[in-house]
mmCIF file with all atom_site columns, all heavy atoms in Angstrom:
data_model
loop_
_atom_site.group_PDB
_atom_site.id
_atom_site.type_symbol
_atom_site.label_atom_id
_atom_site.label_alt_id
_atom_site.label_comp_id
_atom_site.label_asym_id
_atom_site.label_entity_id
_atom_site.label_seq_id
_atom_site.pdbx_PDB_ins_code
_atom_site.Cartn_x
_atom_site.Cartn_y
_atom_site.Cartn_z
_atom_site.occupancy
_atom_site.B_iso_or_equiv
_atom_site.pdbx_formal_charge
_atom_site.auth_seq_id
_atom_site.auth_comp_id
_atom_site.auth_asym_id
_atom_site.auth_atom_id
_atom_site.pdbx_PDB_model_num
ATOM 1   N N   . GLY A 1 1210 ? -25.580 36.434 30.070 1.00 93.00 ? 1236 GLY A N   1
ATOM 2   C CA  . GLY A 1 1210 ? -26.763 36.231 30.906 1.00 93.00 ? 1236 GLY A CA  1
ATOM 3   C C   . GLY A 1 1210 ? -28.002 35.870 30.175 1.00 93.00 ? 1236 GLY A C   1
ATOM 4   O O   . GLY A 1 1210 ? -29.003 35.479 30.764 1.00 93.00 ? 1236 GLY A O   1
ATOM 5   N N   . SER A 1 1211 ? -27.986 35.953 28.801 1.00 94.00 ? 1237 SER A N   1
ATOM 6   C CA  . SER A 1 1211 ? -29.194 35.645 28.014 1.00 94.00 ? 1237 SER A CA  1
ATOM 7   C C   . SER A 1 1211 ? -29.575 34.212 28.215 1.00 94.00 ? 1237 SER A C   1
ATOM 8   O O   . SER A 1 1211 ? -30.770 33.821 28.385 1.00 94.00 ? 1237 SER A O   1
ATOM 9   C CB  . SER A 1 1211 ? -28.958 35.997 26.527 1.00 94.00 ? 1237 SER A CB  1
ATOM 10  O OG  . SER A 1 1211 ? -28.753 37.346 26.373 1.00 94.00 ? 1237 SER A OG  1
ATOM 11  N N   . PHE A 1 1212 ? -28.597 33.313 28.194 1.00 95.00 ? 1238 PHE A N   1
ATOM 12  C CA  . PHE A 1 1212 ? -28.839 31.875 28.363 1.00 95.00 ? 1238 PHE A CA  1
ATOM 13  C C   . PHE A 1 1212 ? -29.491 31.567 29.747 1.00 95.00 ? 1238 PHE A C   1
ATOM 14  O O   . PHE A 1 1212 ? -30.506 30.885 29.811 1.00 95.00 ? 1238 PHE A O   1
ATOM 15  C CB  . PHE A 1 1212 ? -27.568 31.056 28.201 1.00 95.00 ? 1238 PHE A CB  1
ATOM 16  C CG  . PHE A 1 1212 ? -27.675 29.643 28.680 1.00 95.00 ? 1238 PHE A CG  1
ATOM 17  C CD1 . PHE A 1 1212 ? -28.415 28.690 27.913 1.00 95.00 ? 1238 PHE A CD1 1
ATOM 18  C CD2 . PHE A 1 1212 ? -27.120 29.224 29.824 1.00 95.00 ? 1238 PHE A CD2 1
ATOM 19  C CE1 . PHE A 1 1212 ? -28.542 27.419 28.358 1.00 95.00 ? 1238 PHE A CE1 1
ATOM 20  C CE2 . PHE A 1 1212 ? -27.238 27.917 30.279 1.00 95.00 ? 1238 PHE A CE2 1
ATOM 21  C CZ  . PHE A 1 1212 ? -27.977 26.992 29.534 1.00 95.00 ? 1238 PHE A CZ  1
ATOM 22  N N   . GLU A 1 1213 ? -28.897 32.135 30.776 1.00 94.00 ? 1239 GLU A N   1
ATOM 23  C CA  . GLU A 1 1213 ? -29.419 31.907 32.121 1.00 94.00 ? 1239 GLU A CA  1
ATOM 24  C C   . GLU A 1 1213 ? -30.837 32.426 32.284 1.00 94.00 ? 1239 GLU A C   1
ATOM 25  O O   . GLU A 1 1213 ? -31.676 31.805 32.922 1.00 94.00 ? 1239 GLU A O   1
ATOM 26  C CB  . GLU A 1 1213 ? -28.487 32.499 33.171 1.00 94.00 ? 1239 GLU A CB  1
ATOM 27  C CG  . GLU A 1 1213 ? -27.137 31.843 33.314 1.00 94.00 ? 1239 GLU A CG  1
ATOM 28  C CD  . GLU A 1 1213 ? -26.146 32.189 32.224 1.00 94.00 ? 1239 GLU A CD  1
ATOM 29  O OE1 . GLU A 1 1213 ? -26.433 33.074 31.367 1.00 94.00 ? 1239 GLU A OE1 1
ATOM 30  O OE2 . GLU A 1 1213 ? -25.047 31.537 32.124 1.00 94.00 ? 1239 GLU A OE2 1
ATOM 31  N N   . LYS A 1 1214 ? -31.096 33.590 31.628 1.00 94.00 ? 1240 LYS A N   1
ATOM 32  C CA  . LYS A 1 1214 ? -32.392 34.169 31.708 1.00 94.00 ? 1240 LYS A CA  1
ATOM 33  C C   . LYS A 1 1214 ? -33.448 33.281 30.974 1.00 94.00 ? 1240 LYS A C   1
ATOM 34  O O   . LYS A 1 1214 ? -34.566 33.085 31.483 1.00 94.00 ? 1240 LYS A O   1
ATOM 35  C CB  . LYS A 1 1214 ? -32.398 35.570 31.060 1.00 94.00 ? 1240 LYS A CB  1
ATOM 36  C CG  . LYS A 1 1214 ? -33.705 36.348 31.154 1.00 94.00 ? 1240 LYS A CG  1
ATOM 37  C CD  . LYS A 1 1214 ? -33.985 36.739 32.640 1.00 94.00 ? 1240 LYS A CD  1
ATOM 38  C CE  . LYS A 1 1214 ? -35.180 37.649 32.729 1.00 94.00 ? 1240 LYS A CE  1
ATOM 39  N NZ  . LYS A 1 1214 ? -35.492 37.930 34.124 1.00 94.00 ? 1240 LYS A NZ  1
ATOM 40  N N   . VAL A 1 1215 ? -33.074 32.762 29.841 1.00 95.00 ? 1241 VAL A N   1
ATOM 41  C CA  . VAL A 1 1215 ? -33.978 31.880 29.117 1.00 95.00 ? 1241 VAL A CA  1
ATOM 42  C C   . VAL A 1 1215 ? -34.244 30.602 29.878 1.00 95.00 ? 1241 VAL A C   1
ATOM 43  O O   . VAL A 1 1215 ? -35.373 30.108 29.958 1.00 95.00 ? 1241 VAL A O   1
ATOM 44  C CB  . VAL A 1 1215 ? -33.429 31.565 27.708 1.00 95.00 ? 1241 VAL A CB  1
ATOM 45  C CG1 . VAL A 1 1215 ? -34.244 30.512 27.006 1.00 95.00 ? 1241 VAL A CG1 1
ATOM 46  C CG2 . VAL A 1 1215 ? -33.356 32.827 26.857 1.00 95.00 ? 1241 VAL A CG2 1
ATOM 47  N N   . LEU A 1 1216 ? -33.186 30.078 30.474 1.00 94.00 ? 1242 LEU A N   1
ATOM 48  C CA  . LEU A 1 1216 ? -33.314 28.849 31.272 1.00 94.00 ? 1242 LEU A CA  1
ATOM 49  C C   . LEU A 1 1216 ? -34.243 29.005 32.482 1.00 94.00 ? 1242 LEU A C   1
ATOM 50  O O   . LEU A 1 1216 ? -34.941 28.109 32.841 1.00 94.00 ? 1242 LEU A O   1
ATOM 51  C CB  . LEU A 1 1216 ? -31.928 28.390 31.729 1.00 94.00 ? 1242 LEU A CB  1
ATOM 52  C CG  . LEU A 1 1216 ? -31.824 27.041 32.461 1.00 94.00 ? 1242 LEU A CG  1
ATOM 53  C CD1 . LEU A 1 1216 ? -32.266 25.904 31.569 1.00 94.00 ? 1242 LEU A CD1 1
ATOM 54  C CD2 . LEU A 1 1216 ? -30.400 26.802 32.985 1.00 94.00 ? 1242 LEU A CD2 1
ATOM 55  N N   . SER A 1 1217 ? -34.253 30.202 32.990 1.00 94.00 ? 1243 SER A N   1
ATOM 56  C CA  . SER A 1 1217 ? -35.084 30.429 34.207 1.00 94.00 ? 1243 SER A CA  1
ATOM 57  C C   . SER A 1 1217 ? -36.528 30.759 33.853 1.00 94.00 ? 1243 SER A C   1
ATOM 58  O O   . SER A 1 1217 ? -37.400 30.904 34.726 1.00 94.00 ? 1243 SER A O   1
ATOM 59  C CB  . SER A 1 1217 ? -34.544 31.607 34.997 1.00 94.00 ? 1243 SER A CB  1
ATOM 60  O OG  . SER A 1 1217 ? -34.559 32.838 34.285 1.00 94.00 ? 1243 SER A OG  1
ATOM 61  N N   . ASP A 1 1218 ? -36.799 30.892 32.528 1.00 93.00 ? 1244 ASP A N   1
ATOM 62  C CA  . ASP A 1 1218 ? -38.207 31.203 32.141 1.00 93.00 ? 1244 ASP A CA  1
ATOM 63  C C   . ASP A 1 1218 ? -39.091 30.038 32.486 1.00 93.00 ? 1244 ASP A C   1
ATOM 64  O O   . ASP A 1 1218 ? -38.739 28.875 32.462 1.00 93.00 ? 1244 ASP A O   1
ATOM 65  C CB  . ASP A 1 1218 ? -38.213 31.450 30.618 1.00 93.00 ? 1244 ASP A CB  1
ATOM 66  C CG  . ASP A 1 1218 ? -39.531 32.012 30.144 1.00 93.00 ? 1244 ASP A CG  1
ATOM 67  O OD1 . ASP A 1 1218 ? -40.499 31.221 29.921 1.00 93.00 ? 1244 ASP A OD1 1
ATOM 68  O OD2 . ASP A 1 1218 ? -39.621 33.276 29.983 1.00 93.00 ? 1244 ASP A OD2 1
ATOM 69  N N   . VAL A 1 1219 ? -40.347 30.375 32.873 1.00 92.00 ? 1245 VAL A N   1
ATOM 70  C CA  . VAL A 1 1219 ? -41.309 29.391 33.305 1.00 92.00 ? 1245 VAL A CA  1
ATOM 71  C C   . VAL A 1 1219 ? -41.555 28.324 32.272 1.00 92.00 ? 1245 VAL A C   1
ATOM 72  O O   . VAL A 1 1219 ? -41.860 27.129 32.544 1.00 92.00 ? 1245 VAL A O   1
ATOM 73  C CB  . VAL A 1 1219 ? -42.630 30.075 33.742 1.00 92.00 ? 1245 VAL A CB  1
ATOM 74  C CG1 . VAL A 1 1219 ? -43.282 30.691 32.517 1.00 92.00 ? 1245 VAL A CG1 1
ATOM 75  C CG2 . VAL A 1 1219 ? -43.545 29.065 34.398 1.00 92.00 ? 1245 VAL A CG2 1
ATOM 76  N N   . LYS A 1 1220 ? -41.438 28.713 30.983 1.00 92.00 ? 1246 LYS A N   1
ATOM 77  C CA  . LYS A 1 1220 ? -41.652 27.749 29.899 1.00 92.00 ? 1246 LYS A CA  1
ATOM 78  C C   . LYS A 1 1220 ? -40.601 26.666 29.862 1.00 92.00 ? 1246 LYS A C   1
ATOM 79  O O   . LYS A 1 1220 ? -40.768 25.599 29.262 1.00 92.00 ? 1246 LYS A O   1
ATOM 80  C CB  . LYS A 1 1220 ? -41.673 28.454 28.561 1.00 92.00 ? 1246 LYS A CB  1
ATOM 81  C CG  . LYS A 1 1220 ? -42.892 29.366 28.350 1.00 92.00 ? 1246 LYS A CG  1
ATOM 82  C CD  . LYS A 1 1220 ? -42.900 29.978 26.975 1.00 92.00 ? 1246 LYS A CD  1
ATOM 83  C CE  . LYS A 1 1220 ? -44.100 30.838 26.750 1.00 92.00 ? 1246 LYS A CE  1
ATOM 84  N NZ  . LYS A 1 1220 ? -44.105 31.430 25.377 1.00 92.00 ? 1246 LYS A NZ  1
ATOM 85  N N   . ASN A 1 1221 ? -39.421 26.937 30.468 1.00 94.00 ? 1247 ASN A N   1
ATOM 86  C CA  . ASN A 1 1221 ? -38.281 26.038 30.459 1.00 94.00 ? 1247 ASN A CA  1
ATOM 87  C C   . ASN A 1 1221 ? -38.042 25.389 31.799 1.00 94.00 ? 1247 ASN A C   1
ATOM 88  O O   . ASN A 1 1221 ? -36.894 24.977 32.082 1.00 94.00 ? 1247 ASN A O   1
ATOM 89  C CB  . ASN A 1 1221 ? -37.070 26.756 29.930 1.00 94.00 ? 1247 ASN A CB  1
ATOM 90  C CG  . ASN A 1 1221 ? -37.173 27.197 28.486 1.00 94.00 ? 1247 ASN A CG  1
ATOM 91  O OD1 . ASN A 1 1221 ? -37.553 26.401 27.625 1.00 94.00 ? 1247 ASN A OD1 1
ATOM 92  N ND2 . ASN A 1 1221 ? -36.923 28.467 28.233 1.00 94.00 ? 1247 ASN A ND2 1
ATOM 93  N N   . LYS A 1 1222 ? -39.079 25.306 32.674 1.00 93.00 ? 1248 LYS A N   1
ATOM 94  C CA  . LYS A 1 1222 ? -38.866 24.768 34.017 1.00 93.00 ? 1248 LYS A CA  1
ATOM 95  C C   . LYS A 1 1222 ? -38.394 23.313 33.987 1.00 93.00 ? 1248 LYS A C   1
ATOM 96  O O   . LYS A 1 1222 ? -37.463 22.940 34.717 1.00 93.00 ? 1248 LYS A O   1
ATOM 97  C CB  . LYS A 1 1222 ? -40.182 24.882 34.775 1.00 93.00 ? 1248 LYS A CB  1
ATOM 98  C CG  . LYS A 1 1222 ? -40.053 24.411 36.225 1.00 93.00 ? 1248 LYS A CG  1
ATOM 99  C CD  . LYS A 1 1222 ? -41.390 24.581 36.990 1.00 93.00 ? 1248 LYS A CD  1
ATOM 100 C CE  . LYS A 1 1222 ? -41.214 24.127 38.414 1.00 93.00 ? 1248 LYS A CE  1
ATOM 101 N NZ  . LYS A 1 1222 ? -42.475 24.253 39.206 1.00 93.00 ? 1248 LYS A NZ  1
ATOM 102 N N   . GLY A 1 1223 ? -38.926 22.528 33.083 1.00 93.00 ? 1249 GLY A N   1
ATOM 103 C CA  . GLY A 1 1223 ? -38.547 21.138 32.972 1.00 93.00 ? 1249 GLY A CA  1
ATOM 104 C C   . GLY A 1 1223 ? -37.068 20.986 32.536 1.00 93.00 ? 1249 GLY A C   1
ATOM 105 O O   . GLY A 1 1223 ? -36.338 20.138 33.098 1.00 93.00 ? 1249 GLY A O   1
ATOM 106 N N   . VAL A 1 1224 ? -36.652 21.823 31.625 1.00 94.00 ? 1250 VAL A N   1
ATOM 107 C CA  . VAL A 1 1224 ? -35.300 21.814 31.158 1.00 94.00 ? 1250 VAL A CA  1
ATOM 108 C C   . VAL A 1 1224 ? -34.358 22.224 32.293 1.00 94.00 ? 1250 VAL A C   1
ATOM 109 O O   . VAL A 1 1224 ? -33.289 21.632 32.535 1.00 94.00 ? 1250 VAL A O   1
ATOM 110 C CB  . VAL A 1 1224 ? -35.121 22.743 29.951 1.00 94.00 ? 1250 VAL A CB  1
ATOM 111 C CG1 . VAL A 1 1224 ? -33.649 22.837 29.550 1.00 94.00 ? 1250 VAL A CG1 1
ATOM 112 C CG2 . VAL A 1 1224 ? -35.952 22.308 28.773 1.00 94.00 ? 1250 VAL A CG2 1
ATOM 113 N N   . SER A 1 1225 ? -34.780 23.248 33.082 1.00 94.00 ? 1251 SER A N   1
ATOM 114 C CA  . SER A 1 1225 ? -33.943 23.739 34.167 1.00 94.00 ? 1251 SER A CA  1
ATOM 115 C C   . SER A 1 1225 ? -33.756 22.629 35.263 1.00 94.00 ? 1251 SER A C   1
ATOM 116 O O   . SER A 1 1225 ? -32.647 22.462 35.748 1.00 94.00 ? 1251 SER A O   1
ATOM 117 C CB  . SER A 1 1225 ? -34.603 24.967 34.797 1.00 94.00 ? 1251 SER A CB  1
ATOM 118 O OG  . SER A 1 1225 ? -33.871 25.447 35.847 1.00 94.00 ? 1251 SER A OG  1
ATOM 119 N N   . GLU A 1 1226 ? -34.819 21.938 35.569 1.00 94.00 ? 1252 GLU A N   1
ATOM 120 C CA  . GLU A 1 1226 ? -34.678 20.895 36.628 1.00 94.00 ? 1252 GLU A CA  1
ATOM 121 C C   . GLU A 1 1226 ? -33.769 19.758 36.104 1.00 94.00 ? 1252 GLU A C   1
ATOM 122 O O   . GLU A 1 1226 ? -32.937 19.233 36.869 1.00 94.00 ? 1252 GLU A O   1
ATOM 123 C CB  . GLU A 1 1226 ? -36.097 20.320 36.933 1.00 94.00 ? 1252 GLU A CB  1
ATOM 124 C CG  . GLU A 1 1226 ? -37.044 21.329 37.584 1.00 94.00 ? 1252 GLU A CG  1
ATOM 125 C CD  . GLU A 1 1226 ? -36.493 21.723 38.943 1.00 94.00 ? 1252 GLU A CD  1
ATOM 126 O OE1 . GLU A 1 1226 ? -35.851 20.899 39.600 1.00 94.00 ? 1252 GLU A OE1 1
ATOM 127 O OE2 . GLU A 1 1226 ? -36.714 22.880 39.337 1.00 94.00 ? 1252 GLU A OE2 1
ATOM 128 N N   . LYS A 1 1227 ? -33.874 19.371 34.865 1.00 94.00 ? 1253 LYS A N   1
ATOM 129 C CA  . LYS A 1 1227 ? -33.037 18.343 34.321 1.00 94.00 ? 1253 LYS A CA  1
ATOM 130 C C   . LYS A 1 1227 ? -31.552 18.798 34.261 1.00 94.00 ? 1253 LYS A C   1
ATOM 131 O O   . LYS A 1 1227 ? -30.672 18.006 34.590 1.00 94.00 ? 1253 LYS A O   1
ATOM 132 C CB  . LYS A 1 1227 ? -33.499 18.018 32.911 1.00 94.00 ? 1253 LYS A CB  1
ATOM 133 C CG  . LYS A 1 1227 ? -32.779 16.807 32.310 1.00 94.00 ? 1253 LYS A CG  1
ATOM 134 C CD  . LYS A 1 1227 ? -33.356 16.383 30.970 1.00 94.00 ? 1253 LYS A CD  1
ATOM 135 C CE  . LYS A 1 1227 ? -32.609 15.224 30.371 1.00 94.00 ? 1253 LYS A CE  1
ATOM 136 N NZ  . LYS A 1 1227 ? -33.188 14.802 29.032 1.00 94.00 ? 1253 LYS A NZ  1
#
Side-chain angles (χ1 to χ4, degrees):
S1237 297
F1238 166 73
E1239 290 78 8
K1240 186 67 173 177
V1241 171
L1242 184 63
S1243 65
D1244 191 276
V1245 64
K1246 292 183 178 180
N1247 294 310
K1248 183 177 181 181
V1250 175
S1251 179
E1252 294 297 327
K1253 186 176 179 180

